Every structure is written in C-alpha cells, then in structure tokens.
Amino acid sequence: MGAEREAARLRPSYLIRVMPAKGVLVAVTADAIVAGGGVIGTAIAWRAAMAGLGVILVDPEQGDAASLVAAGMLAPVSEALFGEGALLRVNLLAVARFGSFAAELEEVTGHPVGLRREGTLAIAYDAGDYAALMRLTAFRRSAGLDAEELDSRACRKLESFLTPDVHGGVLFAGDWSVDNRRYAAALREAAADAKVLLVRDRVTEVLIRDGQARGVRLADGGEIGSARVVVAAGSASGAVAGLPAQLRAAVRPVKGQLLRLRHPAGLPPVLTHTIRATVRGIDVYLVPRADGEVIVGATQEERGPDRTVTAGAVHDLLHDAMSVLPVTSELILAETCAGLRPGTPDNGPIVGGFSVGGLLLATGHYRNGILMSPVTADAVVACLTGQPPAPEWAPFTPGRFVVEGLAGEKGSR
Amino acid sequence: MGAEREAARLRPSYLIRVMPAKGVLVAVTADAIVAGGGVIGTAIAWRAAMAGLGVILVDPEQGDAASLVAAGMLAPVSEALFGEGALLRVNLLAVARFGSFAAELEEVTGHPVGLRREGTLAIAYDAGDYAALMRLTAFRRSAGLDAEELDSRACRKLESFLTPDVHGGVLFAGDWSVDNRRYAAALREAAADAKVLLVRDRVTEVLIRDGQARGVRLADGGEIGSARVVVAAGSASGAVAGLPAQLRAAVRPVKGQLLRLRHPAGLPPVLTHTIRATVRGIDVYLVPRADGEVIVGATQEERGPDRTVTAGAVHDLLHDAMSVLPVTSELILAETCAGLRPGTPDNGPIVGGFSVGGLLLATGHYRNGILMSPVTADAVVACLTGQPPAPEWAPFTPGRFVVEGLAGEKGSR
C-alpha cells in the first residue's frame, strides 16, 4: 500500500500515526489530507505544513494536472471581464500576493520560477477588435487598473516582430507571467522539504460521519483518516464521492489545448511582453519565457474529460498566432498538449468549507489556477487553523452551490 | 567496441572471421559491409545474406532514417513528372516487384506490412489545378499508365468526406501504399533472421587501397575489413570519406515534415484511397493506414541537415489537408516529425558501382526510397554476386557524377 510505504518515512515530530489494523490494512492518519497535487493542492499542502500541520498529499502523479498545460499568465487585469467584479477583486488580491509567495518559494528551493514583469500587450487586429478592446479598457480603468493605449506604431516599437496590420493595442503593465512548470516543480520540492507526505494514489471518496469529515478512501482500496480534508482535485473534483451532488455537478472540465514553441538557433527572441491578441473576434495569446520558449494558447472546449490534441485546434492556434506575429512560423513546434481546467457555472472558484465539518474545497479555478494558488493556500490554511479567510473569498464559498438539507449524499458513511 | 560484441554472436557457417589484433582493436571482416540501416540498406543486407553472403550492417540506429518519416506511397504513376521517363521506368519496375517482395517479407517474419491497393485519387481544387492535373494525366497515359477522370461528384462518391469545393480528380488505380514503419521493422527482423550482423556505429570512411575497397572505418575508431562495401547512408552518404568528392557533393538532404493523425473514438474511417491534392498550386497528400492512422505530408525544404519541426510547416500541412478534407480538423494530431531525404541533382537515385573495385552506392532515392527498396536490393545483390542489374538502372549509376581521373580522394588509403 502506497500510504504505508510513505508513512514509514515520517518523523515523530509530525502528527501522523501508523496504527496496526486487521489483515494487511494499515490505518494512517494525518492532521490534514489534501486530495490533488496540482498547483492548488500542492500550495495548500506546503503552506499547511509550514503552519505546523502534518499533511498527506494524495495525487496519482499521472502528469495530467491542468497546471502543467497552462501558460502561466498572472493577468488580473486583462482577464477581468464585465460583470466579474468579485472575481477581479480576488485576482487583484492574488497578484498582490504572488510576488512574495514566489520569492519565498525561490528562496526555499533555490530554483527560479521564471517570473516576468514586462506586462501584457493587448493587440486589436482590426477596427472591430479595437472597439471591443476600448470598451474593456474603459471598464478596467473604472476598476482602478492601469492601461496605456498604443497605436500600431507604438505597439511595434514594443514588439518589433508584430505584423504591421495591427490596428492598435493597450499595455497592461500590471500583468506578470510565471513559468508554470518551474513553478509547479518548485512547489512540489517545497512541499517535500516541509515534510508533506506524498501518497501516489487517487482519492475516490471523502469519508463523512455525523456531519464531520473522517478521512478519505483511495483508489487502491486503502483509507487515510483525518478530521480535515481538502478536495483540490481540479476538474476531477466532481468524481470524488461523499461531496454533495450539487457541488460535484458544479465542477466540469473545460478542455484547453496549447503549443510550446522554441527558438531555432540564431533567431533572436521574438517577444518580450505577453501578447493577448484579438484577431477578428478570435482570442490568442503568446507568452514568452526567459529560456526562449513561447507558449501559444489556448482553446476553450466543452468536450468532457477528453484530453486529445486535435488537428483543428493546432491549426487554429498556429494560424491566429502567425496572423499577429508572422515570425511564429519560423519557431520550432516543440510540444502540443491539452489540459482540463476546472470550470464552474459562475466562472468563480470554490474555496472554503460548508456544512460538513472539516471538509474544505479548493477547486473551480478555471483559467486562474496558477495566479490564485498562493491566495487559495492562504485562505484554506486560515480555515484549517481556525482563522477567517480574506473577505474577498466570501462570494466563492462552496455554500453557494449547496441547498441546505441536501448537503450529504447517501452512501457516505 | 560494438563490432567485437556483435562479432561474438556469429555462427561458423557464415563467412565472417574475428581476427585478434594489437591492443584492444579487433579486426572483423565480412563478405560485404552495408553502411546505413534505413530501408535501402536493410533490404540490401537481407537480400545479400539470402544470396549466401556474410553481411555486416552498420547503422547508429538513432531513429533518424528518412524511411521512418515517409508516408509509404508506392506511386510510380502519380509521382511521374515530365522529362523523368528513365525514373518512371525504374519506378514501374519497382512497383511490379514490390508485391512479391512484400509477400516474402510477410511470410518470413509473420508480420503484415500494411499494403493497400485502393489506388491514388488525385484531386484538383480549382480550375487551374485541374488544368495542370489534366496535362499530367495526358503525359502519364502516353506512358501507358492507367488513369480515370472523375468529376467532383464522382470524387466524393469514392471519398465522402472530401470538400464539395473540389473541381475534379483522377483515379490512378496502379498506386499502392505500405505502412513504412511496419515495413522497416519487418526488414530489420528479416535481416536479423538471415544472420545479418548489426553493428551499432556509423561508417565515417570507406577504406580504399589500389583502387579496391578494403573495408570501412567506424566513428568509434574501429575498422571492419571487406572487399565489398555498399554505401546506403541516405542523405548522410555525402559525409562518408573515401568516396569521390563529386559523388559526395551529389547527395544533399531535402527536409520533409509530415504529420501522423489518428481517428478519435467513434469516428468512422475518413479515407479509403491515398489523396494527392493540389490546392491552388500547393500539393498535399493524405495516406490512410489500415489501423486508422492518416499521414499528411510533406514539405520539401532545402535547409541542410536541420530536422526540427516548425510551426509554419505544421500549420501549412494542416491548412492544406483541411481545405480538401475538412474533417481532418477532428482527427487527433498524434505526431509531428521531420526527415531528410537524399536528393540528387537529377532527382534520380545513385545505384551500382564505378571505378573503385567492390565499392557500390545505393543512395539518392529522394522521395522514392520505400518504393525502390526491393529493386535496389536486387540490383545491388546482382552487382555483389557478379550478375548484371536490370537494364532500367543504366541511367542511374554513380559514374554519371564521377569524372575519371578524379575518382579517388586524397587522404583515403
């Protein structure tokens, strides 16, 4: 049993006990269990361990985390849409926190996570795209956000490889980006250093008795006991039994396909800023990395749990990228990949507890999982340690999807 | 030393001798050495071993053979161009031989190589494309080849997923295709079964003394002795020292990028015939495999030995394929790859001997390596055993590139 092997490594200073049981089963308990080892779950596990809890992180480690497919844009500004003011406030909290969180992560692990602070250059291809960009810019300014309008020539002064056909653009200097894979790897390392125990398995059910979380059941049949369980399983959160049916139904996978390009030898860097372009109403982004990688993304597809890379999506991404940055055609196509974002009915995350004692959720981050991972960890650790989370989270509790009286599911014990 | 390890496996019934030498070097000799383990070299090694020769095949096995990137079209007809009558005659010889060769290969190994005999449907997208196709069709008919003109509706009756925008087409029933990777794997297995010794190394030089081949030098510094050496190193043949400079200069790499697509679950086969389409003057082909794979190719790029997959090539291949077969967008993009075809100044292969005794070439097959591999093996084995090769090969000897008196290179011994 994976848990047993892992438990054998623990040190007595942590509140995890191996208890002999009948037959081959060994009961393991921890102060807290986190189900899901993407950036959300791993960040929570790390911070909870730093707060003094003995934490077991359960993840099958199949490399299918949506965070490995992300572009790593930290874009509270250019992601903010009309009618999503509450989400914008969480995103602003998130970007304000990201710098210190990343700095601590880099200090603890010694590995840079590839933060870039050049900002996002939003590009409008034609006059219609520009009119839409201007409406969005006015809204963002009304929310107190910084935005600088640029004509076509000024855009190309910032990014010389842009097509001259660009109508105009806006520089959002408040946006950053991070290398999502370096960031995820650093989080895993920091969590391991903080003595988080990793169990390579999948949580199939949260065990609940008398309205209180008691632990989790694993796909291999074992159980881990804990009075605190955090479900951070991304788009797979809905597959976890024991959660109220309404909560399970609230999370759905939204497929995203993206491309990882590289510079061939001899070609100077083709980009400095993150580019978000609207080309005749179609959105595409290009995110440069310090190591010469350029991420092009991303589709948003309602296709259930399908993670295949399709010819049509790759074509469209390349076509749109080449239409704003023609030199893209000269880049090496190093990787095509697809991930499943956890979407929700109101596009907002689901963070915090509800009527089941000790059971917390941290999922539904949709397109903002990387950005929100530090503040989500802060909020969940606050809940775990009896503190109030930041007030920005109030609109995003699980309770908004749970009608009282239906919170429990039959079959959970 | 790789050769030593391989030689230890040999059986006494084969004409290969291990001879102790000074220091760590062990001299190995064979009846014949084949430099290069693509489909050409492996077919030659197999047939030479079947003819009773002790054969050492030298190949670094880095998976970079152009034959692994090919689409496997066996298309003497639709590949025939104006002014290439001699090449057409070799191609016709090749396709006539392919069936019995493949049947023997399948019988020996027990593995099907994925021969398909549905023919090629040549598609013209617009009226200009159609006029060009008609000129080519007239030429091919004048060469005695079978061709059936089809209007747009008849094309879609054969292939229902074709775009209705197709202007018209021609069915070339004489074209076949083979699964190039299954074919290459079967050749390797047949060669091994025939006791061909594989040395995992690279031939850097053909050793020549007194106008006669004496063996080869390997990249690891070892040597193998033989009075018969066949250089079948594809686009890398020009890197083999000892060959006349004019011959080395006659072979250049022509980069080809192609895509391997797969059907998603639930989608019926989208193609039955090989499609060769001309879309506003741009050529693209789609080759279906029995196992649901569809190959889309291929670029032809003069970029030296560069084997990177570029964003622009993938975009263009997908765009052209989708413009004739829109359902392509629904297929899974399983693999993108690039290979280096061995091109020559006259687009013809280089097969046979010249003024250096025992030194044969089998390279320069450009886009027809899979198709020509059986007849190339026949021709080379004829030369190795003192028989005359088929008369169709007369225009394609190495001698056409070698001015007498300059056949040797300084520095060879």
Side-chain angles (χ1 to χ4, degrees):
Chain A
M1 199 175 90
E4 185 182 3
R5 201 170 54 246
E6 294 289 344
R9 284 171 34 200
L10 56 108
R11 298 185 184 183
S13 59
Y14 289 86
L15 304 173
I16 303 171
R17 299 176 301 275
V18 178
M19 306 192 306
K22 292 170 279 183
V24 294
L25 271 184
V26 174
V28 180
T29 67
D31 293 332
I33 297 166
V34 179
V39 290
I40 298 289
T42 309
I44 291 168
W46 175 40
R47 302 314 294 178
M50 297 298 285
L53 299 180
V55 180
I56 291 181
L57 178 62
V58 184
D59 188 81
E61 289 236 320
Q62 294 168 335
D64 58 355
S67 43
L68 298 182
V69 179
M73 289 184 292
L74 307 175
V77 177
S78 47
E79 285 278 355
L81 299 175
F82 300 105
E84 295 185 346
L87 192 56
L88 175 61
R89 282 187 288 279
V90 174
N91 276 341
L92 289 173
L93 184 74
V95 86
R97 174 73 169 104
F98 206 94
S100 61
F101 188 90
E104 186 176 348
L105 193 55
E106 291 184 333
E107 194 187 316
V108 166
T109 64
H111 299 307
V113 298
L115 257 192
R116 296 192 67 153
R117 296 180 163 88
E118 286 89 349
T120 296
L121 179 57
I123 290 292
Y125 191 76
D126 65 19
D129 298 329
Y130 192 73
L133 178 58
M134 285 303 101
R135 286 193 295 274
L136 211 51
T137 301
F139 161 70
R140 287 165 179 170
R141 280 186 173 140
S142 73
L145 302 173
D146 191 47
E148 180 186 356
E149 287 170 47
L150 303 169
D151 64 15
S152 179
R153 179 184 298 248
C155 289
R156 281 182 290 133
K157 203 163 176 182
L158 285 182
E159 293 292 351
S160 59
F161 283 100
L162 281 176
T163 174
D165 297 338
V166 161
H167 190 93
V170 175
L171 179 65
F172 296 109
D175 287 0
W176 298 353
S177 71
V178 68
D179 185 324
N180 58 309
R181 290 186 180 182
R182 288 179 191 270
Y183 176 69
L187 277 176
R188 286 194 298 273
E189 189 174 323
D193 288 351
K195 307 294 177 254
V196 170
L197 294 187
L198 177 66
V199 174
R200 289 182 195 275
D201 206 324
R202 188 169 53 82
V203 168
T204 56
E205 181 180 355
V206 179
L207 305 174
I208 299 168
R209 201 169 50 239
D210 303 331
Q212 165 66 42
R214 305 292 178 178
V216 299
R217 179 169 289 135
L218 305 179
D220 80 353
E223 291 179 7
I224 309 177
S226 180
R228 299 186 191 89
V229 174
V230 183
V231 175
S235 68
S237 298
V240 178
L243 297 184
Q246 298 144 308
L247 263 181
R248 296 176 66 173
V251 184
R252 72 183 195 283
V254 182
K255 179 178 175 179
Q257 301 189 51
L258 62 72
L259 315 175
R260 307 184 88 85
L261 310 180
R262 283 193 293 112
H263 286 66
L267 186 66
V270 299
L271 271 189
T272 305
H273 303 76
T274 291
I275 300 288
R276 296 183 70 108
T278 308
V279 183
R280 299 189 180 108
I282 307 292
D283 292 322
V284 65
Y285 58 74
L286 299 97
V287 184
R289 298 267 191 263
D291 63 3
E293 203 174 47
V294 176
I295 311 299
V296 175
T299 64
Q300 296 188 67
E301 304 167 64
E302 303 282 352
R303 296 173 71 124
D306 167 51
R307 289 184 66 229
T308 58
V309 172
T310 60
V314 172
H315 169 270
D316 293 351
L317 289 171
L318 289 171
H319 179 268
D320 297 340
M322 286 161 61
S323 64
V324 287
L325 197 77
V327 72
T328 302
S329 67
E330 300 300 315
L331 299 181
I332 296 167
L333 180 59
E335 187 183 338
T336 58
C337 46
L340 300 174
R341 312 175 190 89
T344 63
D346 58 8
N347 289 340
I350 303 174
V351 173
F354 59 109
S355 56
V356 176
L359 177 54
L360 301 171
L361 273 83
T363 184
H365 292 79
Y366 193 34
R367 295 159 55 98
N368 294 309
I370 304 275
L371 170 62
M372 287 192 188
S373 51
V375 284
T376 299
D378 290 346
V380 170
V381 171
C383 295
L384 287 172
T385 57
Q387 312 293 318
E392 286 86 347
W393 289 105
F396 299 110
T397 62
R400 72 189 192 277
F401 295 114
V402 183
V403 177
E404 282 309 318
L406 293 170
E409 233 192 5
K410 281 183 184 170
S412 66
R413 60 178 213 188
Chain B
M1 199 173 90
E4 184 183 3
R5 201 169 53 245
E6 295 289 342
R9 285 170 34 201
L10 55 107
R11 300 184 184 184
S13 60
Y14 289 86
L15 304 171
I16 304 169
R17 299 176 302 274
V18 178
M19 306 191 307
K22 292 170 280 186
V24 294
L25 270 185
V26 174
V28 180
T29 69
D31 293 332
I33 297 166
V34 180
V39 290
I40 299 289
T42 310
I44 291 168
W46 175 41
R47 303 312 295 177
M50 297 297 285
L53 299 180
V55 180
I56 291 181
L57 177 63
V58 185
D59 188 79
E61 288 234 322
Q62 294 167 334
D64 59 354
S67 43
L68 298 183
V69 179
M73 289 184 291
L74 307 174
V77 176
S78 46
E79 286 277 356
L81 299 176
F82 300 105
E84 294 185 345
L87 192 56
L88 175 60
R89 282 186 288 278
V90 174
N91 276 342
L92 289 172
L93 184 74
V95 86
R97 174 73 170 105
F98 206 94
S100 62
F101 187 92
E104 186 177 348
L105 193 57
E106 291 184 333
E107 195 186 316
V108 166
T109 63
H111 299 307
V113 298
L115 258 191
R116 296 193 65 154
R117 296 180 164 88
E118 286 89 350
T120 296
L121 179 57
I123 290 292
Y125 191 77
D126 65 18
D129 298 329
Y130 192 74
L133 178 57
M134 286 302 102
R135 286 193 296 274
L136 211 51
T137 301
F139 161 70
R140 287 164 180 171
R141 280 183 173 143
S142 74
L145 301 172
D146 191 47
E148 182 186 355
E149 287 168 46
L150 303 170
D151 63 17
S152 179
R153 182 184 295 248
C155 289
R156 280 182 289 133
K157 202 162 175 183
L158 285 182
E159 293 292 351
S160 58
F161 283 100
L162 281 175
T163 174
D165 297 338
V166 161
H167 190 94
V170 175
L171 179 65
F172 296 110
D175 287 358
W176 298 353
S177 70
V178 68
D179 184 324
N180 58 309
R181 291 185 179 182
R182 288 178 190 270
Y183 177 69
L187 278 176
R188 286 194 297 273
E189 188 175 323
D193 288 350
K195 307 296 178 251
V196 170
L197 293 188
L198 176 65
V199 174
R200 289 182 195 273
D201 207 325
R202 189 169 53 82
V203 168
T204 56
E205 181 179 356
V206 179
L207 304 173
I208 299 168
R209 201 167 53 238
D210 304 332
Q212 165 67 43
R214 305 292 179 178
V216 299
R217 179 169 290 135
L218 305 179
D220 80 355
E223 291 178 7
I224 309 177
S226 180
R228 300 186 189 89
V229 174
V230 183
V231 175
S235 68
S237 298
V240 179
L243 297 183
Q246 298 143 309
L247 262 181
R248 295 177 65 174
V251 183
R252 72 183 195 284
V254 182
K255 178 178 175 178
Q257 301 190 49
L258 61 72
L259 316 175
R260 307 184 89 84
L261 309 179
R262 283 193 293 114
H263 286 66
L267 186 66
V270 299
L271 270 189
T272 306
H273 303 76
T274 291
I275 300 289
R276 297 183 69 108
T278 308
V279 183
R280 299 186 180 111
I282 307 291
D283 292 322
V284 66
Y285 58 73
L286 300 97
V287 184
R289 298 266 191 264
D291 62 3
E293 203 174 49
V294 176
I295 312 299
V296 175
T299 64
Q300 295 187 67
E301 304 167 64
E302 303 283 352
R303 296 173 72 125
D306 167 52
R307 289 183 67 230
T308 58
V309 172
T310 59
V314 173
H315 169 269
D316 292 352
L317 289 171
L318 289 171
H319 179 267
D320 297 341
M322 286 162 60
S323 64
V324 287
L325 198 77
V327 72
T328 302
S329 67
E330 299 300 314
L331 298 181
I332 296 167
L333 179 59
E335 187 183 337
T336 58
C337 46
L340 299 174
R341 312 176 190 88
T344 63
D346 58 9
N347 288 340
I350 304 174
V351 174
F354 59 109
S355 57
V356 177
L359 177 54
L360 301 172
L361 272 84
T363 184
H365 292 80
Y366 193 33
R367 296 159 54 98
N368 295 309
I370 304 275
L371 170 62
M372 288 192 187
S373 51
V375 284
T376 299
D378 290 346
V380 169
V381 171
C383 295
L384 288 172
T385 57
Q387 311 293 318
E392 286 86 347
W393 289 105
F396 298 110
T397 62
R400 72 188 191 277
F401 296 115
V402 183
V403 177
E404 283 309 318
L406 292 171
E409 233 193 6
K410 281 181 185 173
S412 66
R413 59 179 215 188

